């Protein structure tokens, strides 16, 4: 061996079969404790389940209801309620924030159409839910979904509702007290507006705040499974006028001319404040 040159490093026997001299050095030698590649390949190739068991698993997945099925069922149930036939939900038009929440149980869970999801607070009382609209809206109905059988001590027993044009001029307009609610709870809007009759029950505000002040059995945190806010659906009024106009009972259009009924553009049906 020429002087000044190091002796070659001893290598372990190669675990790679049929390794030609041209491939030597391209792959590092296997270290002690590494799994056998042949054993791993055999384990991957061997199926863990028989074909019959795989077919049974697929059948169970098809029969079990998915989250999308639950959401569709919740939406269909809301459409079937006659009390909401003349209303339009404006909840998606607002910006929602909460004082505290558990991971995975925040605003997105609260706004989910499925009542199996819920907002869970994570802090001291009162627990706050703030709903910010981008312009003045006329609210005719507010309801909250609670379920005592599922939530028990997390169920609210006293909630206070406030409204205003901003966070610094909120005024209390309603209070709800209950013991074991299950389902949608309507918030009273009687006398919140200016005027008599139905006009006096319309809440005009840009910000609505829900305060959960007490829970069942003095529970600390709370569960709220849904909050919905509704305004009058102007499309229902237009359709009613159209029917009356077809019967000759109303005149649309100026200068005493009988209107033929206005066809509502499709874009007016979208949930967007204009």
């Amino acid at each position: 061996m020429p002087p000044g040159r190091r002796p070659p490093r001893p290598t372990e026997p190669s675990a790679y079969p049929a390794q030609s001299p041209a491939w030597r050095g391209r792959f590092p030698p296997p270290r002690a404790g590494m799994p056998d590649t042949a054993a791993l390949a055999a384990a991957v190739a061997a199926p863990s389940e028989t074909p019959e068991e795989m077919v049974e698993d697929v059948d169970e997945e098809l029969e079990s209801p998915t989250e999308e099925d639950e959401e569709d069922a919740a939406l269909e149930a809301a459409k079937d309620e006659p009390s909401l036939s003349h209303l339009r939900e404006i909840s998606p038009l607002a910006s929602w924030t909460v004082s505290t929440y558990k991971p995975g149980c925040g605003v997105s869970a609260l706004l989910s159409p499925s009542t199996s999801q819920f907002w869970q607070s994570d802090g001291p009382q009162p627990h706050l839910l703030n709903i910010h609209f981008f312009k003045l809206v006329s609210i005719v109905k507010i309801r909250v979904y609670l379920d005592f059988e599922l939530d028990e001590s997390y169920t609210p027993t006293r909630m206070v509702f406030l409204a205003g044009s901003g966070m610094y001029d909120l005024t209390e307009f309603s209070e709800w007290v209950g013991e074991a609610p299950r389902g949608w709870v309507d918030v009273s809007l009687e006398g919140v507006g200016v005027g008599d009759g139905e006009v006096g029950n319309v809440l005009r505000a840009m910000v609505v705040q829900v305060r959960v002040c007490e829970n069942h059995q003095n529970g600390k945190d709370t569960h709220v499974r849904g909050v919905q806010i509704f305004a009058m659906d102007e499309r229902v009024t237009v359709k009613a006028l159209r029917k009356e106009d077809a019967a000759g009972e109303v005149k649309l259009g100026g200068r005493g001319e009988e209107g033929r009924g206005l066809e509502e553009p499709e874009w007016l049906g979208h949930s967007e404040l204009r």
Side-chain angles (χ1 to χ4, degrees):
M1 179 180 300
R5 299 188 66 177
R6 296 181 180 178
R9 297 175 57 185
T11 59
E12 300 179 6
S14 175
Y16 301 97
Q19 192 177 47
S20 63
W23 288 89
R24 293 184 184 277
R26 294 197 179 187
F27 299 97
R31 300 178 181 177
M34 292 183 63
D36 188 2
T37 55
L40 288 177
V44 172
S48 58
E49 295 181 352
T50 62
E52 293 77 8
E53 293 176 348
M54 297 176 66
V55 171
E56 292 179 358
D57 294 341
V58 172
D59 293 339
E60 291 178 359
E61 292 179 359
L62 293 176
E63 294 176 358
S64 60
T66 62
E67 183 177 351
E68 294 180 356
D69 296 336
E70 294 179 356
E71 294 180 358
D72 294 340
L75 290 175
E76 292 299 329
K79 292 179 181 178
D80 295 338
E81 296 185 34
S83 61
L84 306 179
S85 59
H86 61 290
L87 304 180
R88 173 185 293 185
E89 185 180 0
I90 58 175
S91 306
L93 307 180
S95 173
W96 296 63
T97 58
V98 293
S99 54
T100 59
Y101 67 93
K102 290 278 189 181
C105 298
V107 173
S108 59
L110 176 65
L111 297 180
S112 172
S114 174
T115 55
S116 62
Q117 302 187 43
F118 51 85
W119 162 48
Q120 179 176 341
S121 61
D122 187 18
Q125 296 177 352
H127 307 299
L128 306 181
L129 169 62
N130 302 312
I131 307 167
H132 299 254
F133 290 95
F134 298 100
K135 64 179 296 184
L136 193 66
V137 294
S138 299
I139 301 172
V140 298
K141 185 181 182 67
I142 301 176
R143 63 179 189 172
V144 183
Y145 194 94
L146 306 174
D147 196 329
F148 172 74
E149 291 190 2
L150 295 178
D151 300 328
E152 296 182 349
S153 62
Y154 290 91
T155 307
T157 56
R158 178 172 174 266
M159 295 185 295
V160 175
F161 298 85
L162 304 93
S165 59
M167 295 298 298
Y168 300 102
D169 64 345
L170 295 176
T171 304
E172 180 179 344
F173 66 87
S174 184
E175 181 182 9
W176 176 88
V177 178
E179 289 298 329
R182 188 183 183 190
W184 288 107
V185 175
D186 292 330
V187 179
S188 175
L189 299 181
E190 184 176 359
V192 297
V194 179
D196 299 330
E198 296 295 334
V199 180
N201 299 333
V202 177
L203 175 65
R204 294 178 57 82
M206 294 182 63
V207 178
V208 177
Q209 184 180 85
V210 181
R211 294 182 181 177
V212 180
C213 302
E214 298 177 8
N215 291 330
H216 185 70
Q217 296 178 349
N218 297 323
K220 176 184 176 183
D221 291 321
T222 189
H223 283 183
V224 177
R225 296 180 174 269
V227 177
Q228 290 182 335
I229 300 178
F230 297 90
M232 292 296 300
D233 193 348
E234 298 178 357
R235 296 174 297 179
V236 176
T237 305
V238 172
K239 291 179 181 178
L241 290 175
R242 190 179 303 153
K243 291 180 180 180
E244 294 178 2
D245 177 55
E249 299 177 359
V250 67
K251 293 182 179 181
L252 299 177
R255 300 181 182 179
E257 299 179 359
E258 290 188 2
R260 299 173 56 188
L262 300 178
E263 292 293 336
E264 183 184 16
E266 184 179 356
W267 56 267
L268 284 178
H270 301 312
S271 298
E272 182 176 350
L273 291 176
R274 301 186 181 275

